[in-house]
Amino acid sequence: MKKELIELQFGSCATCVVILDEYYKELGPTIFMEGNMSDTNLYACSYENPIFKEKLETMAKNYEQVYFVIRHIEQITEVEQNRYIALVKDREFCGFQIPDNVVVVFTVGEEMDIKKISKELYHFCVIAI
């Protein structure tokens, strides 16, 4: 894992990082969720109040740098992966703005799984394996 490359993404707009899943616990202050969350659970929120909002805001207030990890992106379809494009590109999800001191991180099981990331999402990815 290229920690220096990951840290360069703080303050950058429209980027995310891809790492191997085995390393996500080594990043630092982290909030994580499984990428294969159903639409029902992921979108079961009122506007500006996604399921991860409270935890992410609390962490962002208490730490200088926070990592929002979405695990196993390679295990879901391209359509499901593309649900996360606005989260990366616009730093917004269901009306909630991602704090500036948060980096979005996607994990994959193996390096070869990078090929399974949708083209639309890959465009915003910094590979830090």
Side-chain angles (χ1 to χ4, degrees):
M1 176 175 68
K2 298 177 183 172
K3 183 77 171 185
E4 301 83 27
L5 182 58
I6 296 167
E7 290 178 357
L8 286 173
Q9 304 317 304
F10 282 102
S12 297
C13 295
T15 64
C16 62
V17 176
V18 177
I19 63 170
L20 294 178
D21 189 67
E22 63 189 271
Y23 297 119
Y24 84 92
K25 290 183 180 178
E26 298 174 19
L27 290 170
T30 302
I31 302 244
F32 71 91
M33 68 181 208
E34 295 297 323
N36 64 356
M37 185 174 291
S38 71
D39 282 351
T40 303
N41 289 330
L42 188 60
Y43 294 110
C45 62
S46 59
Y47 188 69
E48 296 183 351
N49 196 26
I51 58 171
F52 50 81
K53 176 187 178 181
E54 191 174 312
K55 288 182 183 178
L56 197 56
E57 283 182 332
T58 300
M59 291 281 282
K61 288 177 186 174
N62 292 320
Y63 295 96
E64 188 175 325
Q65 297 177 326
V66 177
Y67 303 89
F68 181 33
V69 177
I70 301 168
R71 298 182 64 203
H72 299 292
I73 195 72
E74 84 283 2
Q75 293 180 0
I76 59 177
T77 68
E78 286 189 22
V79 170
E80 292 170 320
Q81 289 178 29
N82 290 342
R83 300 180 300 182
Y84 299 110
I85 290 175
L87 181 75
V88 176
K89 181 180 149 227
D90 303 323
R91 297 190 56 81
E92 181 270 338
F93 190 82
C94 293
F96 170 65
Q97 292 295 314
I98 304 300
D100 291 338
N101 64 331
V102 175
V103 167
V104 177
V105 178
F106 293 105
T107 72
V108 292
E110 300 176 11
E111 189 170 351
M112 64 191 312
D113 290 333
I114 293 169
K115 296 176 186 175
K116 296 178 182 177
I117 298 174
S118 80
K119 291 176 185 176
E120 292 84 1
L121 184 59
Y122 185 82
H123 176 74
F124 301 102
C125 294
V126 173
I127 308 302
I129 293 178

